Amino acid sequence: MSEPVNRARGALTDSPADLLVERISEVVARSYRITECELLQVDYRLAVLIPLGEGEPVSGPGHPAWRCFDHQEPVLSNDVGYFPVSMRGERRGVLRLSPVPEEPTVLGELAEIATALAHEITAVSAGTDVYRAAQRSQRLTLAAEMQWELLPGRSRSRPAFSLAGQLEPAYAVRGDSFDWSDDGHRLWLSTINGMGEGVAASMLTALVTSALRNARRGGLSLADQAALADQAIYDLHRGSQYLSVLLMELDLAGGEMTVVDAGSPRLMRLRDGEVTEQPLEAQFPLGMFEATDYREQRFTLRRGDRLFVVSDGVVDATGHHKRYGETALERFLRRTGPMEPLDAVRSLLGDLRAFVAGDLVDDAVVVCLDWTGPQP
């Protein structure tokens, strides 16, 4: 590791949480004579790159900053450099630097510094609102604030899989959500199709998410995770409120998928360019009845399979008095084959917003999972 990169890492570690970009600016000025340093964060809708300080948001898809964000590689435009601010597959935004020399060694070092910045922003975000407050292009509703705080991230990448999810309407989502975790051997994924309106819907989703995490971290099987969350909701609401959830556990070495379908969103598979809906054993939503006994089912993925989990807010979205529907969904999913999961999710929801000519009325959640199998 080069001396400038080491110096940047040290400066980030010692920096106050709100001054990370300022410390990076000092390091790159001293090491590379770079005079301009700006962090552009992607907003909640994945539609705008917003400067942390003063400056104009970047929304045009052809802009070098968006090319950097989309392709996750440095982009040099004249003497302005754009570097992905990402870590472990989670894309936070772009670091804009100027002037940047067209030297491969320097570009590589600046890319490492941008990655170090992403790690440090993630580390400090729980203790400061500076970065979260700056990444919104409009005010979040209280329900949406609660939902985004629940999420594990928006994208994740490991040698055996890539994963991404997104909520819509991003600034006013109520009850739809997702959660994931992996331990290097297994990946757990839950997708929630919420019930209710406003804060009440968010509170119900928060309860089931916490119950599922508690059961998962306690080492319970997938069926027992569903049973524990089911009982937690029923004990509080006695069947008056319930949630549709799809629980999945993937063996990362062999591709065996274990599933519990509790009145869930639909599961679509893209394999060799063809889209099919994965048959699931429909069971009661969580919290509908007392002491429901849930059953697991299993199927095996092939290397290169892509799975989409979509809530009914996607299929049932209405525009120009027409329903988006299964046919349009399958047609669009086929087009996502070459895309990374986050790009596939963003493109699908962008197509949906174009179809309804604005923000969605009902909540929608989309999660995309690629299983590539163990890598050398």
Side-chain angles (χ1 to χ4, degrees), residues 65 127 150 166 187 212:
L150 280 176
Q166 176 68 1
L187 167 69
L212 289 170

Side-chain angles (χ1 to χ4, degrees), residues 10-265:
L12 288 170
T13 301
D14 296 337
S15 170
D18 59 312
L19 298 178
L20 297 178
V21 178
E22 285 81 351
R23 295 296 180 265
I24 286 295
S25 179
E26 293 167 3
V27 170
V28 297
R30 187 163 62 250
S31 301
Y32 307 104
R33 297 181 181 177
I34 288 172
T35 57
E36 296 181 23
C37 178
E38 183 177 52
L39 172 64
L40 304 170
Q41 295 186 107
V42 70
D43 83 316
Y44 286 84
R45 188 175 283 156
L46 293 169
V48 184
L49 291 167
I50 305 175
L52 181 63
E54 298 180 358
E56 290 297 318
V58 179
S59 56
H63 194 281
W66 273 114
R67 298 208 309 271
C68 171
F69 184 86
D70 289 338
H71 299 292
Q72 288 296 286
E73 59 186 27
V75 172
L76 194 59
S77 179
N78 297 321
D79 64 349
V80 181
Y82 300 87
F83 301 88
V85 180
S86 306
M87 48 82 66
R88 302 183 188 277
E90 178 72 12
R91 304 186 199 178
R92 304 198 69 96
V94 172
L95 186 64
R96 176 187 175 276
L97 303 172
S98 177
V100 174
E102 194 171 350
E103 298 177 15
T105 300
V106 172
L107 294 177
E109 291 173 353
L110 292 174
E112 288 186 60
I113 291 173
T115 300
L117 176 61
H119 280 272
E120 201 62 30
I121 291 174
T122 302
V124 305
S125 285
T128 179
D129 290 333
V130 168
Y131 304 99
R132 286 193 180 98
Q135 70 178 120
R136 50 194 74 186
S137 60
Q138 64 191 70
R139 184 170 180 174
L140 289 171
T141 64
L142 175 56
E145 189 85 51
M146 295 170 65
Q147 289 299 81
W148 285 104
E149 288 296 306
L150 280 176
L151 297 184
R154 260 195 303 216
S155 50
R156 180 96 167 103
S157 183
R158 291 288 304 258
F161 72 89
S162 295
L163 178 64
Q166 176 68 1
L167 307 178
E168 283 289 339
Y171 288 90
V173 67
R174 298 173 292 274
D176 284 12
S177 189
F178 56 84
D179 191 30
W180 60 60
S181 178
D182 77 274
D183 64 2
H185 304 285
R186 291 170 296 175
L187 167 69
W188 293 270
L189 171 63
S190 58
T191 308
I192 300 168
N193 194 0
M195 174 186 180
E197 298 292 331
V199 172
S202 294
M203 292 175 66
L204 186 62
T205 298
L207 173 61
V208 75
T209 300
S210 297
L212 289 170
R213 287 174 177 172
N214 178 257
R216 185 184 72 221
R217 292 164 183 169
L220 300 186
S221 69
L222 210 62
D224 288 341
Q225 291 174 34
L228 187 147
D230 169 70
Q231 197 62 45
I233 299 172
Y234 186 85
D235 287 347
L236 187 62
H237 297 289
R238 313 307 295 181
S240 64
Q241 295 190 53
Y242 46 85
L243 277 172
S244 298
V245 180
L246 178 62
L247 300 179
M248 305 164 66
E249 180 182 317
L250 174 62
D251 170 40
L252 295 177
E256 183 179 62
M257 181 71 81
T258 305
V259 174
V260 172
D261 173 6
S264 74

Side-chain angles (χ1 to χ4, degrees), residues 57 194 234 268 277 321 350:
Y234 186 85
M268 314 293 290
E277 183 166 358
H321 309 293

